[in-house]
Amino acid sequence: MDQRLYRPGDLPELLRFVAERAAQRWPAPAYLTPGDVAWQLPAAAPETNLCLWYDGARLAGYVWFDPPTAMGFDGPLLAPLLAWGARRRRDFGPGRSRFLDVRSMAEWEHELLHPRPVALDGRALETTALESDRPRVAFLEAHGFTASAHFGTHLRRRLDAPIPRSRLPAGFRLRQVTPADFAERVATQRDAFWPGSSFTLERYLAVRATAPYDPELDLVLETPDGTFAGACIAWPDATSGVGHFEPVGTRRDWRGRGFARALLWEGMRRLRARGMHAAGIGTAGFNAPANAAYRSAGFEQVDVSRTFVKTLGEPE
């Protein structure tokens, strides 16, 4: 197979590949969805960090490196993908992710605000495998990776089940974003994911410009004074028939009132209207509030994405 770094014109083929892999993996979760691509690509420096493998003219695999330590990859031939990720990792100095040992949102927030020194005894390379994907787990273990305690949850809800309507406080309303809302939409994202968000208007506009984006699925919960209590984006995937939510967030002053659930239910109704038969969502395993909110909206956990770690030796 041939390989090369991502170019802007590759987006349609990447979206096709990701959608087809998601459909092939059903009913297991996908490693990447079209919505993930659209949300992550504007901030990923893909011309440096995203390598594509081609079988003739057709895309057959990818490696998505997340500096300085992590990589995601998918395709039928895993060994060359893993080798490229290991080479890319050596472009960065020794160290490991400081979030591998985080066990709660409080610890995550503290680590962002008061970062501790990270271990510098070698270059840690980190990647993930779904626990249901036994061949991938075995492949990683055979190549020297060890499972860590860090994991992400994958949840799903069928859309043929009844979708309730939330009783919102007087003066609150659910609606889609309009151009006049852009600054407030960005501010809502930053507040909801504080202190971990560096979201900008430039990135938001880039997300809106990607092919999977549907403005009617970019939802906000507006308060009586015109500000937003929370926001989410839903991403339909016609190939798999599964819509995904990324991101979902509630501003800190409005948490604990069921607003995330209200946004999700409205997003589900709109996904169902677009022919989706199921909705998926995921988050870090340590994010107990988000996991509880998603379950309250009817999602059930269907898999776990475990982080595997290997310390690379010095290049020969």
Side-chain angles (χ1 to χ4, degrees):
M1 291 193 298
D2 297 322
Q3 69 177 75
R4 63 172 175 80
L5 291 171
Y6 175 88
R7 303 167 187 162
D10 294 327
L11 180 58
E13 183 70 359
L14 178 60
L15 291 171
R16 178 205 59 79
F17 174 80
V18 167
E20 289 183 356
R21 293 291 286 182
Q24 292 165 9
R25 288 195 52 79
W26 176 264
Y31 283 102
L32 199 64
T33 70
D36 293 327
V37 174
W39 179 251
Q40 297 172 19
L41 200 66
E47 291 83 358
T48 302
N49 293 319
L50 180 54
C51 190
L52 306 179
W53 266 255
Y54 284 85
D55 185 0
R58 194 168 178 84
L59 182 63
Y62 69 84
V63 182
W64 198 323
F65 193 76
D66 183 10
T69 63
M71 62 173 284
F73 63 107
D74 194 18
L77 298 177
L78 299 181
L81 307 182
L82 180 61
W84 188 90
R87 289 194 298 272
R88 180 75 176 113
R89 173 65 185 90
R90 289 192 172 96
D91 292 337
F92 299 87
R96 63 192 290 273
S97 169
R98 65 178 187 267
F99 299 108
L100 283 175
D101 300 324
V102 166
R103 298 292 182 269
S104 69
M105 289 302 291
E107 290 184 8
W108 172 81
E109 180 178 312
H110 187 272
E111 183 59 43
L112 286 168
L113 294 173
H114 310 285
R116 299 164 296 172
V118 298
L120 297 178
D121 51 346
R123 289 172 169 80
L125 177 62
E126 298 146 23
T127 191
T128 62
L130 293 160
E131 291 189 345
S132 64
D133 191 350
R134 296 308 306 169
R136 182 172 173 127
V137 171
F139 170 82
L140 290 175
E141 291 175 340
H143 284 77
F145 284 80
T146 302
S148 73
H150 186 273
F151 67 96
T153 56
H154 292 261
L155 303 96
R156 186 178 297 138
R157 189 192 194 279
R158 293 178 60 90
L159 296 181
D160 57 1
I163 302 172
R165 290 190 179 274
S166 296
R167 294 183 178 179
L168 299 175
F172 286 72
R173 62 171 179 151
L174 289 161
R175 64 174 178 84
Q176 71 186 66
V177 173
T178 68
D181 301 322
F182 288 175
E184 175 64 9
R185 176 64 181 85
V186 170
T188 302
Q189 178 74 24
R190 291 176 66 91
D191 188 273
F193 289 88
W194 182 92
S197 177
S198 57
F199 199 63
T200 63
L201 178 59
E202 180 182 19
R203 179 179 172 187
Y204 179 57
L205 295 176
V207 169
R208 290 179 63 93
T210 55
Y213 178 83
D214 181 339
E216 294 184 359
L217 297 176
D218 189 352
L219 303 175
V220 292
L221 180 56
E222 186 179 29
T223 71
D225 67 6
T227 59
F228 301 152
C232 75
I233 303 179
W235 303 91
D237 177 8
T239 302
S240 67
V242 181
H244 290 83
F245 288 93
E246 178 65 51
V248 179
T250 304
R251 293 182 101 148
R252 288 168 288 164
D253 290 344
W254 294 108
R255 291 175 181 165
R257 308 187 193 202
F259 289 164
R261 180 173 61 239
L263 284 160
L264 288 167
W265 281 343
E266 180 62 22
M268 289 177 204
R269 280 188 286 273
R270 298 188 183 207
L271 286 171
R272 184 169 63 185
R274 285 156 175 77
M276 301 298 105
H277 63 81
I281 198 167
T283 190
F286 60 75
N287 193 343
N291 280 297
Y294 302 158
R295 287 184 171 86
S296 77
F299 284 92
E300 296 180 349
Q301 183 172 313
V302 294
D303 212 335
V304 163
S305 181
R306 181 71 56 183
T307 297
F308 284 75
V309 184
K310 176 181 180 179
T311 301
L312 302 180
E314 293 300 320
E316 297 179 359

